[in-house]
Amino acid sequence: MSNTKKLDRRTIYTISTIKDSFLELINQEPYPQINVAKLCRHADMTRSTFYAHFDNLTAVLNAVLDDALLFTDNNQSNTTIDPTASLDLLKENESLLPACQRIADSSKYRKLLMDPSLNDYIIGRIVAHEKDKLVPSIQKRTGLNESEAELLFNYSIHGSFAINKRHHFIKDDDWYRELQLLNQFTSAGYESIRKNNSK
């Protein structure tokens, strides 16, 4: 889908219909069983209309994931969370959270995010989106080289996704308490590495 195309009301409606139909299908069957023809039938539109807005099914998946993961072109540059931040502060400032922890808890995305056939793809999407911001941040906090910082970054993304999945992508009080604990653990680890590297 071209980002340069001006989105008029009809275009926005059509894109929304495609994405909503895709999510409705995901609630009925796993991703590998969905194809463009099935999506077009479900959305009650022609293939030519579909291809006017998306190149393929993967493009729809990416657009829906961007919505679910709250990815925006003007993402916050803040890449760290105060490990002592209160639960209330975390709840009120969703944009402070890294993408792996910002995953939307809207029920419309739950089946998509819980689809085991998509787990690696979703994690890869998060990594691709966040790597250039978070790896330098980890380097700055720890004094590690890029390769070592990337190792910690990948570890934290996989771990955060696993915690989200364990909670079925529902951000209840238990989820926020675990997030707070993991932030304290991670921050203490970064601090320990920084001290060891400065000796």
Side-chain angles (χ1 to χ4, degrees):
M1 183 173 55
S2 172
N3 290 333
T4 58
K5 186 194 295 185
K6 185 175 179 186
L7 297 181
D8 60 25
R9 204 175 303 173
R10 180 72 187 154
T11 300
I12 291 168
Y13 173 79
T14 305
I15 291 170
S16 179
T17 298
I18 293 169
K19 291 195 292 188
D20 288 346
S21 294
F22 175 83
L23 285 168
E24 288 166 12
L25 285 173
I26 282 286
N27 281 323
Q28 297 168 17
E29 54 195 306
Y31 178 74
Q33 294 179 18
I34 299 171
N35 56 41
V36 171
K38 192 178 283 189
L39 178 57
C40 288
R41 279 194 304 275
H42 190 81
D44 194 24
M45 70 176 54
T46 64
R47 290 170 70 96
S48 60
T49 299
F50 173 88
Y51 285 115
H53 302 287
F54 291 98
D55 293 333
N56 50 42
L57 194 63
T58 303
V60 180
L61 171 62
N62 288 340
V64 170
L65 283 176
D66 286 354
D67 294 344
L69 299 169
L70 307 179
F71 286 167
T72 59
D73 290 335
N74 57 353
N75 237 352
Q76 302 273 343
S77 59
N78 187 6
T79 56
T80 60
I81 305 172
D82 180 351
T84 62
S86 70
L87 295 181
D88 288 339
L89 178 66
L90 291 175
K91 290 176 185 177
E92 292 167 11
N93 294 278
E94 187 82 356
S95 63
L96 293 176
L97 304 178
C100 51
Q101 295 166 338
R102 268 194 327 264
I103 295 176
D105 59 348
S106 168
S107 60
K108 76 178 189 175
Y109 299 116
R110 213 159 281 146
K111 281 271 195 179
L112 173 73
L113 297 170
M114 292 295 292
D115 188 331
S117 67
L118 288 174
N119 286 176
D120 288 342
Y121 188 84
I122 293 169
I123 291 169
R125 188 99 175 135
I126 296 169
V127 166
H129 190 271
E130 300 288 285
K131 179 181 168 184
D132 290 344
K133 288 182 292 200
L134 293 182
V135 169
S137 173
I138 292 170
Q139 287 182 267
K140 187 176 179 181
R141 291 185 70 182
T142 61
L144 293 173
N145 64 39
E146 184 177 354
S147 175
E148 294 167 331
E150 191 171 334
L151 174 70
L152 295 184
F153 165 71
N154 279 306
Y155 177 81
S156 68
I157 294 293
H158 281 80
S160 293
F161 189 86
I163 294 299
N164 274 288
K165 191 169 180 180
R166 188 166 79 86
H167 284 276
H168 299 275
F169 300 92
I170 299 171
K171 295 178 192 158
D172 55 15
D173 286 343
D174 288 340
W175 182 89
Y176 277 104
R177 276 192 288 277
E178 288 182 14
L179 172 64
Q180 193 176 39
L181 177 65
L182 291 172
N183 287 338
Q184 290 168 351
F185 173 79
T186 303
S187 186
Y190 287 167
E191 182 63 20
S192 175
I193 291 169
R194 187 188 63 75
K195 285 179 180 173
N196 286 338
N197 283 342
S198 63
K199 287 181 182 175

